Amino acid sequence: MVPMSEIFGSMAFNDAVMKKRLPAATYNELKKCIAEDRSLSREVADVVAGAMKDWAIEKGVTHYTHWFQPMTGVTAEKHDSFISPTSDGRVIMEFSGKELIKGEPDASSFPSGGLRATFEARGYTAWDPTSYAFIKDGILCIPTAFCSYTGEALDKKTPLLKSIEAINKQALRILRLFGKNDVKKVIPTAGPEQEYFLIDGKICGMRKDIMYTGRTLFGARPPKGQELEDHYFGAIKPRVAAYMKDLDEELWKLGISAKTKHNEVAPSQHELAPIYTPTSIANDHNQLTMEVMKKVAVRHGLTCLLHEKPFEGVNGSGKHNNWSLSTDTGINLLEPGNSPYDNAQFLLFLSAVIKAVDDYQDLLRLTAASAGNDHRLGANEAPPAIVSIYLGEELDGILSAIEEDRTYSRRAKCNVEIGVHVMPQLPKDSTDRNRTSPFAFTGNKFEFRMLGSAFSIADSNTVINTAVADTLKIFADELENSDENFNDAITRIIRKTIKAHKRIIFNGNNYSAEWLEEAGKRGLLNYKSTADVLPCYTFEKNMALFARHGVFTEAELRSRQEILTENYCKVMNIEALTMSDMMKKEILPAVSEYIKELCEEIAAKRAVDNFISSEEETALVAKLSGLYSSGSKKLKLLETALFETHGFGEGAKAAESYRDRVIPAMKELRAVADEMELNTAAKFWPFPTYGELLFSVK
Ligand code: ADP
Ligand code: MG
């Protein structure tokens, strides 16, 4: 067995490798550039590129790629070889600093939302040295940001990096006020928990819906679902265990610290969580994790489904984005401190998050919007579409005491006059956690639970970072200009923030009907679907937020809105077309075959003796014929709805038409088809059922 120390990071050009392979001066200069967000000089870049190439070639690599994250949400790469011809007809392996720093992937087919006319289609990719290069499938991958020549971001990574800078800048201002002069950098951290389904590959391959859309569009409930809850944290089946072992190893090689793995609530559903890292790395690692999950599955004859709702009536898959702020001195700013002074600081940062989440509920909701995730948010398994914060009773009690300027006493009687007394110890055990809240404080970090399993975490972290940076800026502006006693000023700001934003705090059950009503009374936003929330991108207050921190320009936001809208329409269109295809070519013919067999049986019985009862068969024929005719009608209705929706193109009007016409028509068609499945002999049913899919892996 290869020791873990030799596996972990063996395919990553990480800090340890750089330290070992780069001349000390180059290494130090690179580290300095990263710390100060400066670009590398050509000389330094050349040395780094050379070392990277030598390291890769030793591992059998011949090609490199600038790995980037276009707005499609998946990753892209274009491979170039190191080979360079010499004048005497030989080739040498070359890789220059210029090639490392900048690439031109002529990626004119990636969505740009009108930012880039095709005649000037060239975008360029620029190395992001905050994320390590790695080897994947024998290719050296260089993580990059992807921009147009006029400087607009064409990817998800660039705005994320800008938001990281924004929050660093504002958080440092606050820390300076607290006299924390040793801190040089504040880094947002993320640990995304990833849910997924593992289904037998052969069985999946027999369903067009899974093939084209990643989810089932038909399927009656199996006799056994998740009601026994025997899967949750249950023993892992041998085939799954073998997959997980292989997956872990592949991820470890890339330097991804996959840590926990367990079964989830639904049959065949599992979860993987990494150890948290700075957000930019966590983002890249999560993209890689999703890719590797799918690839390793194929090796094991399995299909890994990352769709948010592969099966109706069974829990869907989400992604929990754990988020916090850390200093370069190793301090978690959302960890309650041990001294009164540190607690004042903790409460100030906590208040900043509370205000940010309340002010930008719409943007947070937007970062969790997709056709796939619409099936989850608000259903009885994921948090509702309403954004709120869970703090836990203890912390909530403390904040209320501060707000009302009174003594807090629950466990230990203590006064929480900020900056004077120590706060009571906050419970950190998971038993106290509320699992229904979309934005939950879990002791020393927040857990944003709205994301769907297939999402990139870039957008949500961009919004959280920018919104919190904005509140910190407001606080810092006020504190820097106040001549009040520092403690009084902080107390006043915290009190004011809680008063103004306490409506966003909710510690109860977010799945309950009472909360829906209560949230309405509090004036919290409730965007039920993607089509509803799309306009938020370009609300004045949101465009102003991003402009203030240099994260997005108005043109960039408009392009993103356009791309998301278009993507939503495309996904819905593919689903509707797939449904109609399966109905027409598979389901209706199968039902018709069964009807035919039943009729033949009835006729055969009658031929023997008119008095042999064929009552049951006749009733079934009548039932199936009824379903056949209503199914055919529903299919027509879906086709008409789709045709009329096409008339709107792929903009906001089309999105609304998918929501209001196509989706309801799909639901109605599915209901009839599922009823057909329940009444049709198994041998006629054209594709594997829910039972076969969900319990396929032994
Ligand atoms: P649970 O399922 O109870 O939410 P897990 O242990 O499965 O808990 O996941 C917690 C996730 O939170 C892990 O990925 C972990 O690395 C991450 N995490 C822990 N501390 C921080 C932090 N300070 N910042 C960001 N993420 C964190
Ligand atoms: Mg979690």
Side-chain angles (χ1 to χ4, degrees), residues 43-156:
E43 293 72 46
V44 171
D46 277 336
V47 178
V48 177
M52 217 184 248
K53 180 201 69 182
D54 292 343
W55 170 79
I57 288 176
E58 279 167 32
K59 296 189 180 282
V61 170
T62 50
H63 286 66
Y64 70 92
T65 182
H66 275 195
W67 186 75
F68 59 105
Q69 301 167 25
M71 293 188 267
T72 49
V74 293
T75 55
E77 46 199 74
K78 172 188 166 232
H79 302 163
D80 282 307
S81 78
F82 292 133
I83 288 174
S84 169
T86 59
S87 55
D88 57 356
R90 292 175 304 120
V91 289
I92 51 166
M93 301 292 253
E94 255 186 7
F95 185 51
S96 68
K98 188 164 155 252
E99 288 164 308
L100 165 66
I101 293 180
K102 202 160 173 171
E104 288 186 26
D106 180 32
S108 46
S109 300
F110 288 108
S112 76
L115 277 183
R116 196 182 35 164
T118 6
F119 62 84
E120 41 135 356
R122 290 183 316 171
Y124 69 88
T125 49
W127 181 34
D128 160 24
T130 62
S131 195
Y132 302 130
F134 55 91
I135 298 171
K136 178 170 70 75
D137 301 328
I139 312 280
L140 172 66
C141 298
I142 299 152
T144 57
F146 179 38
C147 297
S148 77
Y149 260 98
T150 41
E152 281 103 357
L154 295 171
D155 67 351
K156 288 181 181 274

Side-chain angles (χ1 to χ4, degrees), residues 423-588:
M423 279 202 324
Q425 275 288 303
L426 294 175
K428 251 179 245 161
D429 58 319
S430 52
T431 46
D432 192 45
R433 290 190 197 174
N434 173 326
R435 299 211 165 253
T436 66
S437 174
F439 208 96
F441 184 70
T442 52
N444 58 0
K445 63 182 188 314
F446 277 96
E447 187 169 340
F448 181 44
R449 301 202 180 107
M450 275 184 154
L451 284 196
S453 45
F455 279 61
S456 151
I457 63 165
D459 295 339
S460 59
N461 283 291
T462 302
V463 166
I464 299 173
N465 293 342
T466 313
V468 175
D470 198 57
T471 318
L472 292 174
K473 178 179 184 301
I474 295 170
F475 290 177
D477 288 348
E478 194 171 336
L479 286 167
E480 283 169 3
N481 293 316
S482 126
D483 23 331
E484 235 174 319
N485 163 300
F486 186 56
N487 251 332
D488 293 348
I490 290 191
T491 309
R492 191 175 46 72
I493 288 179
I494 295 174
R495 187 168 293 147
K496 187 171 77 179
T497 308
I498 314 259
K499 266 204 175 64
H501 299 286
K502 65 180 173 190
R503 63 170 187 167
I504 198 78
I505 299 165
F506 178 66
N507 293 309
N509 178 5
N510 291 70
Y511 293 170
S512 68
E514 293 81 59
W515 170 233
L516 257 181
E517 199 184 316
E518 165 74 16
K521 280 193 206 138
R522 294 189 189 186
L524 298 182
L525 299 168
N526 186 5
Y527 291 106
K528 294 201 182 69
S529 74
T530 301
D532 298 333
V533 77
L534 279 168
C536 298
Y537 255 127
T538 44
F539 286 175
E540 278 304 323
K541 73 166 180 81
N542 295 339
M543 292 201 294
L545 167 76
F546 289 122
R548 258 196 308 280
H549 298 276
V551 173
F552 283 120
T553 61
E554 180 175 340
E556 286 172 328
L557 283 171
R558 290 201 184 281
S559 85
R560 263 147 230 263
Q561 184 179 39
E562 195 175 303
I563 289 167
L564 185 58
T565 312
E566 212 177 272
N567 178 270
Y568 173 79
C569 293
K570 287 198 167 111
V571 169
M572 288 321 306
N573 183 44
I574 295 170
E575 290 197 356
L577 288 175
T578 305
M579 240 187 148
S580 130
D581 181 274
M582 288 172 79
M583 188 69 181
K584 227 182 302 193
K585 300 195 178 132
E586 298 183 287
I587 299 178
L588 288 174

Side-chain angles (χ1 to χ4, degrees), residues 373-386 511 516 526 528:
N373 216 21
D374 277 359
H375 301 288
R376 290 177 64 245
L377 295 183
N380 212 22
E381 56 177 83
I386 306 163
Y511 293 170
L516 257 181
N526 186 5
K528 294 201 182 69

Side-chain angles (χ1 to χ4, degrees), residues 84-372:
S84 169
T86 59
S87 55
D88 57 356
R90 292 175 304 120
V91 289
I92 51 166
M93 301 292 253
E94 255 186 7
F95 185 51
S96 68
K98 188 164 155 252
E99 288 164 308
L100 165 66
I101 293 180
K102 202 160 173 171
E104 288 186 26
D106 180 32
S108 46
S109 300
F110 288 108
S112 76
L115 277 183
R116 196 182 35 164
T118 6
F119 62 84
E120 41 135 356
R122 290 183 316 171
Y124 69 88
T125 49
W127 181 34
D128 160 24
T130 62
S131 195
Y132 302 130
F134 55 91
I135 298 171
K136 178 170 70 75
D137 301 328
I139 312 280
L140 172 66
C141 298
I142 299 152
T144 57
F146 179 38
C147 297
S148 77
Y149 260 98
T150 41
E152 281 103 357
L154 295 171
D155 67 351
K156 288 181 181 274
K157 189 71 183 282
T158 308
L160 176 63
L161 293 172
K162 288 180 177 168
S163 75
I164 292 170
E165 271 180 47
I167 199 165
N168 169 50
K169 187 171 158 196
Q170 304 304 335
L172 279 179
R173 286 176 69 195
I174 299 284
L175 291 179
R176 293 286 172 272
L177 290 165
F178 277 92
K180 303 280 165 67
N181 293 318
D182 56 328
V183 177
K184 298 278 174 295
K185 203 159 191 165
V186 172
I187 309 136
T189 51
E193 298 162 60
Q194 176 74 46
E195 289 183 337
Y196 61 101
F197 277 89
L198 268 189
I199 310 291
D200 182 86
K202 267 208 199 85
I203 296 183
C204 271
M206 290 191 266
R207 295 203 47 143
K208 282 188 194 164
D209 46 5
I210 296 186
M211 239 158 58
Y212 297 144
T213 73
R215 76 180 187 106
T216 55
L217 299 169
F218 298 101
R221 285 185 190 209
K224 176 180 187 308
Q226 64 189 47
E227 58 279 81
L228 296 178
E229 300 201 334
D230 50 354
H231 188 70
Y232 192 44
F233 280 74
I236 297 174
K237 292 173 180 155
R239 199 169 160 199
V240 175
Y243 166 83
M244 286 178 168
K245 180 169 179 289
D246 208 2
L247 174 63
D248 273 349
E249 268 186 35
E250 290 296 328
L251 294 175
W252 291 338
K253 280 187 208 162
L254 293 166
I256 300 173
S257 49
K259 191 160 180 282
T260 46
K261 47 185 183 186
H262 59 77
N263 287 351
E264 267 299 328
V265 179
S268 291
Q269 192 186 33
H270 314 281
E271 183 189 282
L272 180 144
I275 297 175
Y276 71 96
T277 57
T279 12
S280 122
I281 295 177
N283 170 69
D284 289 5
H285 281 180
N286 184 250
Q287 291 290 335
L288 277 173
T289 300
M290 291 193 283
E291 192 182 321
V292 175
M293 274 180 163
K294 288 189 179 171
K295 211 160 47 195
V296 174
V298 175
R299 233 188 268 158
H300 288 253
L302 298 163
T303 298
C304 170
L305 298 179
L306 289 176
H307 194 283
E308 283 78 22
K309 192 72 181 175
F311 307 100
E312 198 168 281
V314 172
N315 269 11
S317 300
K319 176 143 38 198
H320 291 175
N321 187 74
N322 293 275
W323 178 92
S324 189
L325 284 174
S326 167
T327 66
D328 59 346
T329 51
I331 291 167
N332 180 349
L333 295 174
L334 290 176
E335 173 112 37
N338 291 323
S339 74
Y341 202 57
D342 282 346
N343 274 325
Q345 183 188 304
F346 161 73
L347 289 170
L348 193 67
F349 276 98
L350 185 78
S351 307
V353 178
I354 294 172
K355 176 169 162 56
V357 172
D358 189 26
D359 285 343
Y360 298 101
Q361 298 164 45
D362 50 354
L363 283 178
L364 281 169
R365 168 68 183 90
L366 185 63
T367 66
S370 79

Side-chain angles (χ1 to χ4, degrees), residues 407-416 421-422 424:
T407 327
Y408 174 72
S409 55
R410 188 159 162 259
R411 293 196 183 161
K413 198 169 165 63
C414 68
N415 191 326
V416 279
H421 295 280
V422 180

